[in-house]
């Protein structure tokens, strides 16, 4: 393989098969990004997982930081009464699209619909996870507690 730089030319032999496939994709210019990712997933999946975890971490930091104004941080009575799973799903889809993608792949193999119980499980799981990152991300926990308390749940249960 030869690479031309402005001041020099570099030559090297590509020995590993997965690197050859990546170089071939670059030369052909077809689906280069997909080939690179597919090769990385096949050869070094742990590197891909670490990279994805970093992306999810950045999204989670963004939604959890003070002043983010997320639905999960709102704790007024009006916020409780106006809370909806649709609004939470819409907000998370905008602010944390990769987190939604990962979590939806955990709970279902098919795309989730708003009336699907799996979607609610996913949203509760995300709310619980974000609550672990920031204790003020707790509107879902307050609502669940409210429902349990006023639904007849006691400390013995």
């Amino acid at each position: 393989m030869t690479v031309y730089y402005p001041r020099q030319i570099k030559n090297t032999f590509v020995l590993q098969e997965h690197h050859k496939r990546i170089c071939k994709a670059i030369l052909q210019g077809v689906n280069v990004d997909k080939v690179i990712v597919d090769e990385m997933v096949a050869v070094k999946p742990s590197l891909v997982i670490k990279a994805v975890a970093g992306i999810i971490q950045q999204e989670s930091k963004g939604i959890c930081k003070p002043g983010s104004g997320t639905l999960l941080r709102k704790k007024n009575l009006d916020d409780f009464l106006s809370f909806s799973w649709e609004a939470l799903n819409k907000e998370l889809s905008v602010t944390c699209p990769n987190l939604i993608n990962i979590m939806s792949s955990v709970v279902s193999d098919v795309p989730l619909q708003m009336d699907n119980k799996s979607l609610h499980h996913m949203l509760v799981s995300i709310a619980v996870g974000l609550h672990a990152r920031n204790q003020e991300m707790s509107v879902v926990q307050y609502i669940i507690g409210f429902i349990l308390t006023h639904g007849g749940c006691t400390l013995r249960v």
Side-chain angles (χ1 to χ4, degrees):
M1 183 169 143
T2 303
V3 178
Y4 294 91
Y5 293 103
R7 295 189 179 164
Q8 66 183 11
I9 298 172
K10 291 267 187 169
N11 293 312
T12 189
F13 289 104
V14 179
L15 301 175
Q16 296 178 338
E17 285 302 315
H18 64 280
H19 288 158
K20 287 180 184 179
R21 287 189 290 271
I22 291 171
C23 291
K24 183 177 178 181
I26 291 170
L27 291 172
Q28 291 175 343
V30 179
N31 295 325
V32 176
D33 295 333
K34 183 176 179 349
V35 170
I36 292 171
V37 170
D38 289 346
E39 290 298 324
M40 290 303 297
V41 166
V43 177
K44 298 276 188 181
S46 61
L47 289 177
V48 176
I49 295 299
K50 286 180 183 177
V52 170
I55 293 168
I56 300 301
Q57 183 180 31
Q58 290 303 319
E59 286 183 354
S60 299
K61 275 184 188 176
I63 198 167
C64 288
K65 71 180 170 184
S68 65
T70 180
L71 291 174
L72 293 174
R73 291 180 70 101
K74 296 181 178 180
K75 296 178 189 162
N76 294 331
L77 179 61
D78 292 338
D79 299 324
F80 290 133
L81 296 176
S82 66
F83 178 83
S84 72
W85 293 111
E86 293 87 5
L88 179 59
N89 186 41
K90 186 181 289 185
E91 178 181 86
L92 291 174
S93 296
V94 171
T95 57
C96 302
N98 298 301
L99 176 61
I100 290 283
N101 198 355
I102 295 295
M103 290 301 293
S104 66
S105 69
V106 169
V107 299
S108 178
D109 294 335
V110 296
L112 299 174
Q113 302 299 320
M114 208 55 233
D115 58 346
N116 193 327
K117 188 167 90 173
S118 297
L119 179 68
H120 296 121
H121 286 285
M122 178 191 74
L123 293 173
V124 169
S125 298
I126 290 172
V128 169
L130 293 174
H131 184 258
R133 178 178 278 277
N134 183 336
Q135 300 302 307
E136 292 185 22
M137 305 291 283
S138 57
V139 73
V140 171
Q141 286 76 10
Y142 284 133
I143 291 172
I144 291 171
F146 180 81
I147 292 169
L148 289 174
T149 300
H150 293 284
C153 186
T154 65
L155 292 176
R156 290 179 284 151
V157 173

